[in-house]
Structures are given as C-alpha cells and as structure tokens.
C-alpha cells in the first residue's frame, strides 16, 4: 500500500469559526517521524474523531494540540497550531495557560489519589476559581453523568470507583475547568460496553458547550458520536471530512479499505 | 513430519501434534508425537532444595544477630541504668556514663537531618521532576550513584579540609553534621528519586492537563504520594549517620567529654566513638561499660527505625492509595 502525499490527501474545509487550526504540523521523536505535514480545521462545538491503525500518530497529533508533547523530551513539533487565532507554539505562548483552556482525558483513567470532591476542585482551585465550589462539584459531576452514583460519598477516594466511574470522574474534572476544547485519547478503550455507552451519550451532550477531539480505534464509536472524522495512516492525514461521507463515500482507496475493515 | 495440517513445527511440538483443525477428519496417517520430559521429581526436589537453602540463609543471619545481642546483653545489661545514661565518662569504669555521647549523637542527628534533608530531597525533586534528560543529567546521575559507594573515611578527610579548616567551623558539632550530611546526601537523593519514580506518570499528566505548573503538580500530588518512601530513605540514612565513627574521628570529635554541647559550634563526641574509646582500654571493667554503651546505641537505632515505620504507616494512610 502506498502512502498518499499531502497533495493527494482529501481534506475537507468545514466552515468557521474554528476551535483549533492545524497547519502543516510535523512531529518527530528523535529521528523517527510520527506526524507528517498534517493540516486540518476543527470547527467549534463539534466532535471530531481521529481514526487510523495503531501507531499511525493519532495520539501524537492529539497531544500536540495542548502541548502535552512538551513532556516527551525527544518530541519535536514544527508547523503551527492556532487556538483562538494565535499559534500555541509561538515563543510567547504559555503552555500552562493553554492546558487550562484545552483539557484532556487520557486512555487510562487517572484520578488523583484523593477524594472525589478534591479531584474536581483542585484544578479550578489552582487556577483561581472564585465561585461556589459545592455547586461546581455538583454541576461537573452531573454533566459527567456521575452525580447519582457518587453524591453520597464525595469524601471517598477517587481510586475506590470502578474503571468506568473513574473515567467519568476524569471527564468531570476536565469539565470543571470550563475549557473550550476537550481532547480525549481513546477514553473508552479500558472500559466495559456499559460504561462506554454512558460516555458516548455524554459526549453528545457535552458538545453543546465544548469542542471535542476524540481519538478512537473503534470505528463504530467514531460513526456514532462524531460530526467529522480524520483518517490517519502512517503519520499522514489521508482523509478528513463529515463523518457520514468518510464512512459511506470515502474519496480515498486507503480510507475505503480501512473503514470497511480490510486492515487495521 | 507432523506438519501435515499446515501448522508451524513449533505449534505441533507444543501441542504434541495432536491439535486438529475442527471439522477435519481424524488424520489417516499416524501422528508422530513430540516427546515430553517433565522431569517432575527433579523439579519438585530442586524447589525444595531452594526453599531449604534460603531458609538456612535466613536462620544463619538471624542466629548471628541473636548471638551478638545475647553476648552484648550478657556483658552489659546489668550496667545499663539511669545513672549510666545521665553520667559523664570517668576514669573509674563503675562511674562512667554516656551522657555527653548520647546528647552528642542526638544533636548530631538532628543537625545532620536539618542540613541533608532539604538539600537531598530538593536535589531529588530537581533531578526527577524538573531537569531535562540531558548529558549533564546523566553525568550527575552516575556520579551520585558512585558517591554512595565512597568509603566514609574519605568523607571525613573532605570534611576536615572543607568544614574544619576552610570554613573555620573548628572541631564542632556543625562540622560533624556537615560532614555526615555529605556522607548521607547520595543515599537520600537516590532513595528519594526511587520513591518519586514509583508515582505513576498518569498523575502528573492529569495535573498538567488541568493547567498546573510543574511545582504545583509536584507539591500537590507527587510529593505527598512519594512521602512515605522518601521518609523511609531519610530515616534509614540518618540511622547510618548515627552509627558512623570514622569520619567523625577524622574531623576530630573528642573521645573524652565531660559536658553536653550547647551550641552547634561546641566540641562533641558521639556514642560509637565513646564505645570505641572504652573497648580500647586495657581494664576489663571498661569492656563491660562498652557493652552497656552498645546497648544504648542499639536502643537509639531501634527507636529511629521504629519512628520510620510509624511515619510511613501514618502517611500511607493519608495518601489514600
Ligand atoms: N514517547 C514516544 N517516544 C518515541 N516514539 C513514540 C512515542 N510515542 C509514540 N511514538 C511513536 O510515534 C508513532 C505514533 O505513535 P502514536 O501517536 O502513539 O500512535 P497512535 O496513537 O495512533 O497509536 C509510533 O511509531 C510510536 O512508536
Ligand atoms: Mg494512541
């Protein structure tokens, strides 16, 4: 199978306003290149799914959107990523402030080893939240569809919850910051089908308020929840467009083979 | 060959060639079975042998310890009394006590902790949480590990030059504590770094993802979780300092002291030096006094270690892992 060059890729341009614009981004780890010349525009209040075989650079691209790649010492990013119109890789850009506005949910649930309540309040606390913390805890947990399960035990450890509950706690923790964008890296891959369904339903509600970029290796999931889908292969963006189009009438042969399950 | 079903030879060896693809008729040709030698009896025997060997090793170690404790106790236990602890040393074995040495050891330990813990834990946090992975850091890593293996007498010489002479601390408690701090810093740094390494990176990423700075992340999540491990390392290295003699002899701790040091600039002695001094005397009665001193030293060490266990359990509960 041959790689599509950047010029042959089918990249749809959704209408503005955009939450994030990725322009000619390359990411390499030392000498190995993980993301090659990727450009795409993520419209506000939509869910964008990143799909592709494992190792194709989905997580790498996602992490470059809130500069979590800064913590991998070998990672080097070139090109620009615009958030609210300014390049997050500019010299005067502050990654700490950026991450306060672009939240992240990780593949493996990672609640803090503290109480459920403290899990929610810590982020807003260090960022100077002035409002009512009790209300914040309740509204975040409600929006993450977890309130009913934990209302009576906010003082208990976040680690005492089940895997699915922990992941919803992590989503609640991200929501509590009231970010513009939430990045999710295979948030359901460690969860049972029941919890996965809960989180998928949750995503559809959350997009009213946030822009969501979700990496998933589950194509059905991408189809169910996302408005736009980006298919990546060996570091390149092969096709990006409205989800129905990508799955039903893919423009690229590679995309067709992938979404029809011929490889993966 | 048994490779008739299109399986790889390894597969057929593993399954003894008896695995068939479902639906296929039983092979007409006789299947050659791979030979298995479970050596069941040898494996059971060698398992028992190993169990016995490790048991013997433990028994030997514990027996040596018991023998040591027993012979020390037999010699010195009668001599340990309140007046032994509250008397200064004397020319007369029956009147000699460990007051100066006990206070000296206690002060030295506290002062050493005050110097080495902030520096050691700080260095560990810097190296583990802040420093970029560079050639310089790897160079520092290797050197710290090597420093932990340098003989203590070398630290004594360094302390004599640096603190007693150049810094003009004289032969004081402060010079002793500074020297001991040098000695245990590599151990504190290594132990603290190990404790920090056990904290899952997911916790750090979670905090960074909420717009936390590195320091906020370390302060609120990494350090509290690593604290039990760090405390254990710190206290074990301090108990090493309590038992050290050579570097303090080197910088000139006194072996006869009839007063308790009052400021960090005062002269001092410590228990191991006092004990060494008594064992070096020709009179048998002083050997009894030395045994009593050893009992006091062991009791002090046990107290310090018990403190380590207590603190670790206390903070472990707090961390809610
Ligand atoms: N921290 C890292 N250091 C070095 N190489 C990495 C690192 N993370 C990912 N890679 C490499 O980058 C490529 C893309 O990885 P990743 O973005 O994790 O893919 P995906 O999420 O699509 O499975 C892979 O070849 C992977 O081995
Ligand atoms: Mg990934």
């Amino acid at each position: 199978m041959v790689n599509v060059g950047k010029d042959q890729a089918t990249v749809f341009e959704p209408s503005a306003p955009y939450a994030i614009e990725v322009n000619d981004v390359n990411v390499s780890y030392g000498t190995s290149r993980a993301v090659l010349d990727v450009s795409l525009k993520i419209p506000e209040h939509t869910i964008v799914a990143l799909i592709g075989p494992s190792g194709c650079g989905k997580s790498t691209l996602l992490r470059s959107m809130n500069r979590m790649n800064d913590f991998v010492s070998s990672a080097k990013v070139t090109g620009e990523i615009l958030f609210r119109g300014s390049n997050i890789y500019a010299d005067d850009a502050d990654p700490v402030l950026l991450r306060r506005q672009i939240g992240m949910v990780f593949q493996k649930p990672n609640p803090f080893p503290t109480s459920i309540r403290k899990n929610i309040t810590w982020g807003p606390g260090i960022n100077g939240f002035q409002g009512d913390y009790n209300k914040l805890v309740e509204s975040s947990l409600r929006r993450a569809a977890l309130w009913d399960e934990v209302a009576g035990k906010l003082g208990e450890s976040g680690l005492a919850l089940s895997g699915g509950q922990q992941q919803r706690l992590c989503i609640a923790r991200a929501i509590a910051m009231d970010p513009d964008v939430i990045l999710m890296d295979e948030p359901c891959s460690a969860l049972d089908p029941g919890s996965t369904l809960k989180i998928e339903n949750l995503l559809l509600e959350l997009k009213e308020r946030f822009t969501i970029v979700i990496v998933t290796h589950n194509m059905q999931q991408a189809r169910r929840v996302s408005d736009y889908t980006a298919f990546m292969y060996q570091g390149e963006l092969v096709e990006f467009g409205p989800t129905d189009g990508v799955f039903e009438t893919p423009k690229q042969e590679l995309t067709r083979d992938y979404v029809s399950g011929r490889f993966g | 060959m048994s490779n008739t079903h299109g399986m790889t030879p390894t597969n057929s060896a593993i399954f003894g060639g008896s695995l068939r693809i479902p639906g296929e008729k039983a092979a007409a040709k006789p299947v050659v079975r791979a030979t298995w030698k479970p050596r069941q009896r040898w494996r059971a025997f060698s398992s028992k042998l190993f169990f016995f060997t490790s048991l013997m090793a433990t028994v030997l170690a514990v027996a040596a310890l018991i023998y040591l404790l027993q012979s020390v106790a037999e010699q010195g236990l009668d001599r340990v009394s309140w007046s032994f602890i509250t008397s200064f040393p004397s020319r007369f074995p029956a009147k000699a006590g460990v007051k100066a040495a006990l206070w000296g050891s206690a002060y030295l330990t506290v002062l050493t902790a005050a110097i080495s813990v902030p520096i050691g834990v700080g260095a560990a946090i810097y190296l583990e949480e802040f420093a970029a992975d560079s050639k310089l850091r790897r160079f520092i890593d290797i050197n710290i590990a090597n420093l932990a293996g340098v003989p203590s007498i070398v630290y004594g010489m360094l302390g004599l030059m640096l603190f007693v002479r150049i810094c003009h601390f004289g032969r004081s408690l402060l010079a002793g504590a500074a020297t001991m701090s040098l000695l245990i810093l590599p151990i504190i740094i290594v132990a603290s770094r190990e404790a920090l390494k056990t904290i899952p990176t997911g916790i750090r990423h979670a905090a960074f993802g909420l717009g936390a700075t590195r320091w906020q992340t370390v302060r609120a999540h990494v350090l509290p979780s690593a604290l039990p491990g760090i405390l254990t390392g710190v206290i074990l290295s301090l108990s090493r300092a309590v038992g050290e003699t050579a570097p303090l002899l080197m910088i000139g701790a006194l072996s006869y002291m009839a007063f308790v040091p009052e400021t960090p600039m005062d002269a001092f002695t410590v228990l191991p030096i006092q004990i060494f001094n008594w064992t070096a005397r020709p009179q048998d009665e002083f050997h009894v006094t030395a045994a009593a001193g050893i009992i006091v030293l062991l009791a002090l060490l046990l107290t310090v270690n018990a403190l380590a266990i207590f603190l670790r359990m206390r903070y472990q509960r707090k961390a809610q892992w």
Side-chain angles (χ1 to χ4, degrees):
Chain A
M1 228 166 277
V2 288
N3 276 12
V4 276
K6 184 195 166 200
D7 302 330
Q8 288 91 52
T10 314
V11 180
F12 177 83
E13 184 160 320
S15 53
Y18 306 121
I20 291 179
E21 291 174 64
V22 178
N23 293 328
D24 294 319
V25 164
N26 283 275
V27 187
S28 49
Y29 297 105
T31 54
S32 87
R33 302 175 67 193
V35 170
L36 305 170
D37 277 328
V38 169
S39 299
L40 83 162
K41 295 188 163 77
I42 294 168
E44 283 182 2
H45 300 290
T46 56
I47 300 181
V48 173
L50 299 181
I51 62 168
S54 97
C56 72
K58 306 180 296 289
S59 299
T60 303
L61 179 63
L62 191 76
R63 283 199 302 264
S64 64
M65 293 181 191
N66 68 344
R67 293 192 53 173
M68 286 300 281
N69 276 339
D70 290 13
F71 302 109
V72 182
S73 58
S74 65
K76 192 169 170 296
V77 181
T78 62
E80 59 169 25
I81 295 181
L82 303 182
F83 171 65
R84 291 180 174 173
S86 54
N87 183 10
I88 64 171
Y89 285 94
D91 289 338
D92 60 350
D94 181 356
V96 170
L97 246 128
L98 173 76
R99 291 186 206 109
R100 183 250 162 282
Q101 288 154 340
I102 303 186
M104 192 160 207
V105 175
F106 299 83
Q107 187 164 358
K108 192 166 167 265
N110 55 355
F112 297 128
T114 52
S115 69
I116 293 171
R117 188 190 149 82
K118 190 83 191 294
N119 262 279
I120 308 279
T121 58
W122 188 73
I126 59 164
N127 283 286
F129 177 72
Q130 295 292 315
D132 183 335
Y133 277 87
N134 291 327
K135 276 195 193 135
L136 179 73
V137 170
E138 178 170 348
S139 67
S140 308
L141 287 169
R142 275 194 194 284
R143 274 193 268 160
L146 188 60
W147 175 254
D148 294 337
E149 289 156 69
V150 300
K153 48 177 187 178
L154 296 178
E156 283 176 30
S157 172
L159 291 173
L161 299 174
S162 75
Q165 290 175 324
Q166 287 189 12
Q167 195 62 305
R168 277 178 285 145
L169 178 60
C170 293
I171 294 175
R173 180 173 70 184
I175 293 172
M177 297 293 297
D178 200 17
D180 285 6
V181 181
I182 302 178
L183 308 175
M184 301 188 172
D185 193 349
E186 305 197 17
C188 303
S189 67
L191 307 183
D192 59 284
S195 306
T196 302
L197 189 68
K198 277 198 182 120
I199 288 179
E200 284 181 9
N201 291 336
L202 179 61
L203 293 182
L204 296 171
E205 281 174 30
L206 291 179
K207 89 174 170 184
E208 305 293 320
R209 199 172 172 123
F210 311 104
T211 304
I212 296 170
V213 185
I214 180 173
V215 169
T216 175
H217 61 215
N218 179 336
M219 280 183 277
Q220 283 71 40
Q221 182 169 68
R223 258 186 117 148
R224 280 192 298 263
V225 303
S226 70
D227 302 299
Y228 296 92
T229 296
F231 168 60
M232 291 179 73
Y233 183 71
Q234 296 188 350
E236 290 182 288
L237 178 63
V238 177
E239 186 157 353
F240 175 62
T243 298
D244 290 343
V246 170
F247 281 94
E248 275 150 34
T249 53
K251 308 275 189 304
Q252 298 278 340
E253 202 184 322
L254 212 52
T255 315
R256 194 174 318 133
D257 288 347
Y258 185 74
V259 299
S260 64
R262 212 161 300 167
F263 72 97
Chain B
M1 268 309 287
S2 61
N3 203 7
T4 45
H5 306 313
M7 286 190 290
T8 60
T10 1
N11 262 344
S12 45
I14 290 169
F15 296 112
S18 60
L19 191 78
R20 285 187 202 100
I21 292 169
E24 203 187 28
K25 275 204 285 178
K29 286 185 251 173
V31 176
V32 180
R33 285 179 180 270
T35 340
W36 292 67
K37 281 188 188 154
R39 301 204 296 168
Q40 204 63 39
R41 288 178 58 184
W42 162 246
R43 290 197 298 173
F45 172 71
S46 64
S47 175
K48 279 207 189 89
L49 190 71
F50 186 75
F51 166 76
F52 186 71
T53 318
S54 43
L55 181 71
M56 282 318 291
T58 314
V59 168
L60 219 66
V62 173
L65 188 69
I66 289 175
Y67 175 72
L68 178 86
L69 287 178
Q70 193 257 336
S71 65
V72 168
E74 200 166 276
Q75 246 193 318
L77 203 53
D78 292 342
R79 187 66 184 75
V80 181
S81 63
W82 187 243
S83 74
F84 181 68
I85 292 169
T86 54
S87 311
F88 288 111
S90 158
R91 280 186 296 132
F92 309 104
K95 279 205 212 156
V98 289
K99 183 171 183 182
L102 189 58
W103 282 104
S105 279
Y107 284 157
L108 186 80
T109 310
V110 170
L111 211 53
T112 303
I115 297 170
S116 61
V117 173
I119 299 176
V121 176
I125 291 175
Y126 172 74
L127 289 169
E128 215 43 60
E129 306 291 331
F130 287 85
D133 187 23
S134 63
K135 282 218 174 80
L136 176 68
R137 199 189 92 173
R138 278 196 287 275
F139 178 76
I140 294 175
D141 285 356
I142 293 172
N143 277 286
I144 289 177
N146 284 340
L147 280 177
V150 170
S152 56
I153 191 89
V154 178
Y155 284 102
M157 291 164 71
L158 180 64
L160 179 65
M161 268 310 288
L162 190 61
F163 301 123
V164 179
R165 304 261 164 81
I166 296 177
C167 298
H168 295 291
F169 291 168
R171 299 166 183 282
S172 63
L173 253 180
L174 184 61
T179 307
M180 280 304 187
S181 296
L182 281 185
L183 176 79
I184 65 172
L185 260 177
I187 313 173
I188 293 185
I189 295 175
V190 170
S192 302
R193 289 184 68 180
E194 290 309 318
L196 291 170
K197 272 190 197 136
T198 61
I199 309 308
T201 16
I203 299 292
R204 297 179 180 85
H205 287 173
F208 292 143
L210 293 170
T213 60
R214 273 188 193 266
W215 171 238
Q216 285 172 324
T217 304
V218 170
R219 171 69 197 77
H221 299 293
V222 180
L223 207 50
S225 303
L227 207 57
I230 292 178
L231 273 177
T232 310
V234 162
I235 295 184
L236 288 181
S237 62
L238 281 178
S239 67
R240 159 125 196 245
V242 173
E244 273 293 346
T245 323
L248 296 180
L249 281 174
M250 199 72 206
I251 66 158
L254 298 180
S255 55
Y256 176 84
M257 252 188 64
F259 63 94
V260 170
E262 274 167 3
T263 74
M265 299 315 285
D266 286 348
F268 70 105
T269 189
V270 290
L271 279 169
I273 293 183
Q274 183 67 72
I275 293 163
F276 176 68
N277 176 268
W278 281 328
T279 44
R281 304 269 185 110
Q283 301 98 310
D284 269 346
E285 293 94 324
F286 270 116
H287 298 168
V288 173
T289 315
I294 291 173
I295 292 171
V296 174
L297 179 60
L298 285 176
L300 187 66
L301 284 172
L302 279 179
T303 312
V304 172
N305 286 346
L307 187 71
I309 294 168
F310 171 75
L311 286 174
R312 193 170 60 201
M313 293 204 310
R314 198 193 132 110
Y315 282 100
Q316 230 151 20
R317 223 175 301 138
K318 231 174 141 186
Q320 296 193 11
W321 270 106

